[in-house]
Amino acid sequence: LRDPPAGLDVATFAGGCFWCMEKPFDDLPGVISTTSGYTGGAYPRPTYKDVCYKQTGHYEAVRVVYDPARVTFETLMDTYWQSVNATDSGGQFADRGPQYRPAVFVRDEEQSRIAAQTLVALEQSGVLGTNEDGSPKRVAAQILNAGDFWPAEDYHQDYYQKAALQYTFYRSLSGRDQYLSSVWGDEYGGHPASAARAANAPAPVRKVIEAYLSKKMELYSGGRLTAT
């Protein structure tokens, strides 16, 4: 993707399934756009099947274009930490495998400095819990230099808007919402409006979606998920 227009900046975050990473940033005033895609890998223009099957080294990520006069990179970092399990190096929630590892891809020294500062502050806060010896849990998310970003297929873009019901069920079944609620409170783990739609869906609809998403997570766990 090209650089953003003058006056705008870009931030790139990997936090597991990119379906779940667009909305937290889209909700921020000053964010212009989010794009789901692939970054950090070995070769150009990967497809979803490539990333799932061929161990290309890519991460599923979101590219956030924002207006730094309206929202700071530090705010974006806070939103990122409040959207992931920063202690999980093997994936995120039900999404297991290298493409789902958490990472922040920084464009310059300023982004690198702020990312590192917020990482240290998060560890020292104790909000992530403690180890058996009482020490704070460490952040497993990496801070990496940004490289090429390849947009994902169209059906992945704005999934939370295109398939709100499936998205809500998926967040819940994956364990993401429960974890975020336990660490940060219901404001971060819950999506009341969409959750209400899911709860009020007819029983046959809920059954079909639950079966579909359960199967999807089973495939995720083995790293065998195909494009749907």
Side-chain angles (χ1 to χ4, degrees):
L1 288 176
R2 296 178 180 177
D3 287 339
L8 301 182
D9 206 345
V10 170
T12 305
F13 302 99
C17 178
F18 42 33
W19 289 355
C20 297
M21 293 301 294
E22 289 184 337
K23 187 178 188 302
F25 294 105
D26 280 341
D27 286 346
L28 292 176
V31 167
I32 308 303
S33 67
T34 57
T35 303
S36 289
Y38 315 108
T39 194
Y43 66 84
R45 299 177 181 83
T47 67
Y48 193 47
K49 287 184 178 181
D50 290 338
V51 174
C52 289
Y53 280 112
K54 296 182 180 179
Q55 298 183 348
T56 64
H58 290 89
Y59 295 69
E60 284 197 12
V62 290
R63 182 179 189 264
V64 180
V65 177
Y66 66 101
D67 181 351
R70 299 176 58 201
V71 61
T72 65
F73 183 71
E74 184 173 3
T75 296
L76 297 183
M77 285 302 312
D78 288 343
T79 298
Y80 174 72
W81 296 129
Q82 292 162 355
S83 301
V84 301
N85 179 354
T87 68
D88 189 348
S89 63
Q92 287 291 284
F93 312 104
D95 305 328
R96 314 311 302 168
Q99 67 268 41
Y100 301 116
R101 292 169 293 168
V104 180
F105 295 88
V106 295
R107 282 166 52 88
D108 54 36
E109 291 184 2
E110 180 69 1
Q111 285 192 354
S112 180
R113 179 186 64 80
I114 293 171
Q117 283 183 344
T118 63
L119 185 155
V120 171
L122 179 63
E123 285 186 336
Q124 293 179 346
S125 72
V127 71
L128 298 177
T130 57
N131 299 305
E132 291 184 1
D133 63 1
S135 61
K137 287 187 175 181
R138 301 296 300 273
V139 170
Q142 293 184 293
I143 299 172
L144 304 172
N145 291 327
D148 290 333
F149 181 92
W150 307 99
E153 295 80 350
D154 286 345
Y155 63 86
H156 289 302
Q157 307 300 333
D158 303 316
Y159 187 80
Y160 74 94
Q161 295 175 330
K162 294 175 179 175
L165 192 61
Q166 293 93 324
Y167 166 78
T168 301
F169 269 83
Y170 176 70
R171 284 188 63 104
S172 178
L173 289 173
S174 73
R176 185 182 291 262
D177 278 348
Q178 293 88 331
Y179 173 84
L180 297 179
S181 291
S182 70
V183 174
W184 301 103
D186 290 341
E187 177 184 355
Y188 298 93
H191 295 268
S194 53
R197 287 196 298 272
N200 293 326
V205 174
R206 293 201 305 272
K207 186 174 181 180
V208 169
I209 293 174
E210 286 173 350
Y212 165 71
L213 293 177
S214 293
K215 182 63 175 177
K216 196 168 191 178
M217 286 186 291
E218 177 185 335
L219 294 172
Y220 269 135
S221 68
R224 303 184 302 276
L225 183 61
T226 61
T228 56

